[in-house]
Amino acid sequence: MLVLGVESSCDETAAAVVRDGETILSNVISSQVEIHRPYGGVVPELASRHHIRNITVVISQALEQANVELADLSGLAVTRGPGLVGALLVGIQTAKALALVSGLPLVGINHLEGHLNAPGLAAEALLPPERHVALLVSGGHTALILVEGFGNYRLLGASRDDAAGEAFDKVAKLLGLGYPGGPAIERLAQSGDPEAIRFPRALAQRDELDFSFSGLKTAVANHVRRHGSPTGQEVNHLCASFQQAVCDVLVRKACRAVKLRRVRALVAGGGVLANGAVRGALEQAAAEQGFSVHVPPVALCTDNAAMIAAAGARRLARGERDGLDMNAEPRLRLS
Ligand code: KG4
Ligand code: ZN
């Protein structure tokens, strides 16, 4: 089964061809990061405009690199939410046009379900057992989800304010490190002391699975106000201490969810899982506490269309279809 996936929920225009829901034949991503960098965050209208400019080229490249034509495909999958409405509409409308001209079945996919399916695309066997907990951490989401099988999800906890990636981006902006913040903070943190500054770990009560990162961001802002803009090694210490605070909270809550729900595996994904410290801390905690951790390679943690095609293959195989009246669902929920 060959599925073309299309993803345009935020600032990556992406298309991919995946065989049998697990083998990537092509995975093309056109990042808009340079477009949004001067603004310190994604500007929704600019995102839509760049998607509409690039999407046909990206799809053509995905088909060409996979060495297939539309007629060779078994179906089409497109992100229908959550995300920026104008950005989503571009991908959805393009996928609908392809469905109309080709007659191929079309299915709309929840972007978060895409992230949940990314481990199955890794070259090494990363497939988790059916029942597991998932930790999704990106610029728009921080959530712990109990997965009881494909399509069967229960939200265990989520951020009450900023997503973790958003906190990375806002702290980086505060420190003048540019956008996106995660990679810049991670780079500087490598030369800093994670114990240099004690930042708060919010909602630390034992069974609390919700997150809160806005207090952490404010704590960093207060530190800068009190001590002045950091320079040299101080910046590295601040980045390392901030990253450690995020890392501690993510790992502690993920471990708690695994224990409370009595599962033996954790899937983790989303842009923040590109962070080596977060990946390492999760892997260490999993080894210590006796559960397996399934984190896709960095390129499959951040937004891509292969994960949408993988989830699409599973839904199409179950006979699920969406009509040409499919609409964008900016606040689509998983459960
Ligand atoms: O999943 P993603 O690519 O897009 C969304 O759906 O949001 O995640 C983007 C987020 C951004 O907030 C970015 O700062 C963060 O992931 N990120 C990182 C790293 N790379 C990207 N955060 C921490 N460390 C990184 N290395
Ligand atoms: Zn994402």
Side-chain angles (χ1 to χ4, degrees):
M1 176 187 250
L2 286 179
V3 175
L4 171 71
V6 176
E7 153 67 35
S8 69
S9 64
C10 191
D11 62 342
E12 328 279 359
T13 318
V17 178
V18 169
R19 184 194 292 133
D20 299 331
E22 57 182 32
T23 307
I24 298 176
L25 301 189
S26 64
N27 191 15
V28 180
I29 303 171
S30 168
S31 171
Q32 302 178 1
V33 82
E34 296 307 328
I35 308 293
H36 302 287
R37 201 188 292 284
Y39 305 94
V42 178
V43 181
E45 182 182 333
L46 284 182
S48 310
R49 289 181 179 280
H50 283 271
H51 283 312
I52 213 156
R53 183 149 84 188
N54 295 333
I55 198 155
T56 17
V57 176
V58 166
I59 290 173
S60 303
Q61 286 176 350
L63 293 171
E64 201 178 302
Q65 287 178 21
N67 203 16
V68 298
E69 296 181 2
L70 263 188
D72 301 320
L73 298 174
S74 329
L76 305 164
V78 64
T79 305
R80 72 183 173 102
L84 302 169
V85 65
L88 289 164
L89 286 171
V90 175
I92 292 171
Q93 192 52 31
T94 308
K96 282 195 213 178
L98 290 177
L100 189 63
V101 295
S102 65
L104 286 168
L106 170 68
V107 68
I109 296 296
N110 184 311
H111 178 85
L112 303 179
E113 183 171 76
H115 278 297
L116 295 179
N117 278 272
L121 291 163
E124 342 68 278
L126 273 182
L127 270 186
E130 276 235 302
R131 188 168 183 276
H132 59 266
V133 162
L135 172 69
L136 290 185
V137 198
S138 69
H141 305 275
T142 305
L144 277 165
I145 297 150
L146 176 65
V147 180
E148 307 248 35
F150 180 77
N152 189 346
Y153 312 114
R154 187 157 147 204
L155 187 67
L156 301 176
S159 180
R160 295 183 186 172
D161 39 57
D162 294 350
E166 197 179 349
F168 269 96
D169 295 335
K170 286 180 174 172
V171 165
K173 195 171 180 180
L174 191 85
L175 299 175
L177 302 177
Y179 173 84
I185 289 181
E186 179 178 16
R187 200 175 48 253
L188 297 170
Q190 277 159 6
S191 315
D193 174 9
E195 308 295 329
I197 308 158
R198 182 73 194 171
F199 287 125
R201 275 75 167 153
L203 302 178
Q205 308 89 302
R206 256 199 79 66
D207 294 346
E208 178 59 71
L209 296 180
D210 275 353
F211 301 84
S212 168
F213 291 104
S214 72
L216 174 58
K217 174 197 65 192
T218 307
V220 175
N222 288 340
H223 181 89
V224 170
R225 208 170 299 129
R226 221 173 295 128
H227 300 271
S229 283
T231 52
Q233 187 60 10
E234 289 164 7
V235 185
N236 301 341
H237 288 332
L238 210 153
C239 288
S241 302
F242 162 78
Q243 182 176 278
Q244 188 63 46
V246 177
C247 202
D248 281 355
V249 173
L250 294 176
V251 172
R252 204 179 301 161
K253 285 179 187 284
C255 289
R256 240 175 250 166
V258 164
K259 199 166 175 192
L260 283 171
R261 292 293 153 181
R262 297 195 169 87
V263 300
R264 291 160 161 246
L266 175 78
V267 163
V272 176
L273 266 297
N275 187 291
V278 175
R279 296 168 78 92
L282 273 180
E283 274 156 18
Q284 191 185 334
E288 284 167 9
Q289 297 185 27
F291 61 88
S292 63
V293 64
H294 307 255
V295 192
V298 170
L300 291 172
C301 278
T302 49
D303 287 351
N304 65 85
M307 66 186 195
I308 303 302
R314 299 182 78 163
R315 293 213 168 260
L316 288 164
R318 296 181 352 168
E320 293 184 30
R321 306 285 184 265
D322 279 294
L324 293 178
D325 57 349
M326 190 206 314
N327 213 334
E329 314 240 8
R331 271 179 274 281
L332 186 63
R333 293 161 90 91
L334 197 52
S335 41

